[in-house]
Amino acid sequence: GLNSTVTAGIVSAKGRSINILKERFAVESFIQTDAAINPGNSGGALVNLNGGLVGINTAIASPTGAYAGYGFAVPSNIVSKVVEDLLQYGSVQRGVLGVMIRSVDGNLAKDKALGVTTGVYVDSLLENSAAGAAGIEAGDVIVAIDGQEVGSSAELQELIARHRPGDEVEVTVNRDGRERAFAVTLHGRMGGKVLAKGEQPNEVLRKLGADLETLPEEAAEALGVDGGVRVTALYAGKLQRYTDIREGFIITKVDGQPVHSAEELVRLLEQKSSGGLMLEGLYEEVPGTQYYAFGW
């Protein structure tokens, strides 16, 4: 019931990841502070002593649900970019490198015989990734973006999140003990360099509440299927509302009809006006076929 309250504290970390966002392309690069943040304070301002906005209060770490000394805010530079995107495009424009990554530490440096003990290790490249097209390889260690040093995965995600699809960034990597710079033109989450036109690519995906990608041929062969469509992200929509489907589900059939690409699945759903819908498929880590039925 307090209308206005100010608490004070210190910033004890930047680029902090606390693993509360489960979405595949999530960015976690929080400012950590011990200024008291409680439930209901989310969306409030984290300001410096001059009154300048440095972050938006977002989360706390607490065993009880009340303030316990650890608060987290989204950095204002990410907030500003999100606001600009919403005003100009109607949706957040996320540029991506297309790499699977992890932070370098002493154990990883020793295990992989790396020449550095900080940075971001490139485990693998996604199909048709922006990084791969520029010449970055699995096993490289990303040490800087546009000349700014990168010490962790969270820092890398924050720096890339400031850019849109089609933007060019200079990525400096350490490869076999030597630094090399690559000019990378970022792709969008769905691939390509074109800006997204809305919150979802089309009405079907908006209705489903999902992002989809065509299952790569190698993955299909490993699973023993002719092809399929992977659910890469879930949002508010029919799948979340009426099923317990999880991200990573691979759709192989729609109403008994095989599907081999995301475009083919979308076409089938565009032709369906009403009635029940049955999705058949599998999870890579779970044996057996799974089924999800709901009204369309």
Side-chain angles (χ1 to χ4, degrees), residues 104-105 108-117 121 139-141 174 177:
V104 173
D105 56 20
L108 181 61
K110 183 178 179 180
D111 182 50
K112 300 292 185 181
L114 304 176
V116 291
T117 54
Y121 183 76
D140 286 345
V141 178
N174 185 294

Side-chain angles (χ1 to χ4, degrees), residues 10-237:
I10 64 169
V11 168
S12 50
K14 296 191 299 181
R16 181 73 86 193
S17 176
I18 54 177
N19 299 314
I20 61 171
L21 303 176
K22 306 304 179 185
E23 197 259 332
R24 182 183 180 191
F25 291 95
V27 175
E28 286 200 16
S29 186
F30 294 109
I31 299 169
Q32 179 178 315
T33 178
D34 68 351
I37 299 173
N38 278 291
N41 293 158
S42 293
L46 181 70
V47 300
N48 59 22
L49 290 177
N50 295 321
L53 181 70
V54 296
I56 299 296
N57 300 325
T58 303
I60 60 174
S62 168
T64 64
Y67 173 71
Y70 304 93
F72 304 91
V74 175
S76 59
N77 48 26
I78 291 182
V79 175
S80 297
K81 193 262 183 183
V82 167
V83 171
E84 291 172 7
D85 284 351
L86 293 176
L87 289 172
Q88 188 169 352
Y89 304 102
S91 65
V92 179
Q93 305 294 328
R94 285 282 307 281
V96 297
L97 287 171
V99 292
M100 302 299 290
I101 56 175
R102 51 180 160 155
S103 298
V104 173
D105 56 20
N107 293 329
L108 181 61
K110 183 178 179 180
D111 182 50
K112 300 292 185 181
L114 304 176
V116 291
T117 54
T118 60
V120 180
Y121 183 76
V122 179
D123 265 317
S124 61
L125 302 169
L126 301 181
E127 186 178 20
N128 300 319
S129 76
I136 294 174
E137 301 174 356
D140 286 345
V141 178
I142 299 174
V143 295
I145 299 292
D146 288 334
Q148 185 169 339
E149 290 187 5
V150 171
S152 67
S153 298
E155 290 180 6
L156 173 63
Q157 290 175 323
E158 178 186 341
L159 291 172
I160 296 301
R162 300 179 189 179
H163 297 277
R164 301 181 176 96
D167 287 353
E168 183 177 290
V169 296
E170 182 182 80
V171 181
T172 303
V173 306
N174 185 294
R175 180 183 296 173
D176 300 325
R178 299 179 59 185
E179 288 193 359
R180 300 181 57 182
F182 297 89
V184 180
T185 302
L186 299 176
H187 288 183
R189 289 171 41 158
M190 301 297 290
K193 306 168 188 175
V194 180
L195 295 173
K197 291 186 172 63
E199 188 178 5
Q200 292 285 356
N202 59 49
E203 185 59 34
V204 166
L205 296 186
R206 188 177 294 110
K207 191 173 179 180
L208 273 180
D211 281 347
L212 307 173
E213 70 174 8
T214 302
L215 188 68
E217 290 184 12
E218 317 85 75
E221 291 177 7
L223 292 169
V225 296
D226 294 332
V229 179
R230 181 185 279 121
V231 177
T232 59
L234 290 168
Y235 307 96

